[in-house]
């Protein structure tokens, strides 16, 4: 059955039914857009978290073996305690740099589906003033 053209022949019930159907379709599309945006942002967050983990593990391994090598190397020219303290300070600086880099990547992640919020605002504006 073909829908009747809009005009004087359309009843209020038909117009209301069409409007309800259009609103439901619009709502479904907005929900799908929100899901897509959230998936994208979750992917970014996962990559940033992986970088945190990789930086932590890599930093640990490097710190462990390089610290031992540097400490024993410095122990040839100074007391072993001072050599260990110097090596520890170097790795503390490296860890701070890795943390700052990971934090800057994490700040790029937006928890709010921005595009969906904007289109919902536009939809609400249109619903208030459909003739504009």
């Amino acid at each position: 059955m073909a829908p009747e053209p809009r005009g004087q022949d359309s009843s209020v019930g038909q117009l209301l039914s069409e409007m309800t159907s259009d609103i439901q379709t619009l709502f479904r599309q907005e929900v799908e857009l929100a899901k897509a945006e959230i998936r994208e942002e979750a992917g970014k967050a996962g990559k940033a978290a992986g970088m945190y983990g990789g930086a932590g593990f890599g930093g640990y391994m490097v710190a462990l073996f390089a610290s031992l090598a540097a400490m024993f190397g410095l122990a040839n020219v100074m007391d072993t305690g001072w050599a260990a303290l110097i090596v520890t300070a170097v790795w503390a600086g490296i860890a701070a740099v890795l943390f700052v880099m990971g934090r800057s990547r994490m700040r790029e992640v937006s928890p709010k589906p921005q595009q969906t919020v904007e289109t919902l605002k536009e939809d609400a504006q249109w619903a208030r003033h459909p003739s504009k």
Side-chain angles (χ1 to χ4, degrees):
M1 175 176 175
E4 292 183 26
R6 290 186 180 179
Q8 293 178 340
D9 294 341
S10 298
S11 71
V12 173
Q14 288 173 327
L15 291 174
L16 190 58
S17 174
E18 289 175 17
M19 187 175 80
T20 302
S21 175
D22 290 345
I23 290 172
Q24 287 174 344
T25 300
L26 181 62
F27 181 73
R28 277 190 227 108
Q29 289 172 343
E30 295 297 340
V31 168
E32 287 303 315
L33 178 60
K35 286 180 183 178
E37 281 188 88
I38 290 169
R39 275 192 298 270
E40 183 178 331
E41 292 303 313
K44 287 182 188 177
K47 289 177 184 176
M51 288 180 186
Y52 274 137
F57 180 72
Y60 172 76
M61 295 304 290
V62 168
L64 176 65
F65 294 111
S67 293
L68 289 172
M71 186 181 73
F72 289 126
L74 287 172
N76 289 326
V77 294
M78 65 177 66
D79 184 49
T80 306
W82 286 109
L85 186 60
I86 290 170
V87 170
T88 300
V90 169
W91 290 118
I94 291 170
V97 168
L98 289 172
F99 173 78
V100 169
M101 289 173 58
R103 184 177 62 182
S104 70
R105 287 282 178 114
M106 189 58 87
R107 286 183 176 165
E108 293 175 6
V109 175
S110 174
K112 179 172 65 170
Q114 192 64 37
Q115 189 176 358
T116 302
V117 170
E118 291 300 320
T119 58
L120 285 173
K121 285 179 184 177
E122 291 171 9
D123 295 344
Q125 182 69 21
W126 176 85
R128 280 187 234 121
H129 308 288
S131 60
K132 289 184 181 181

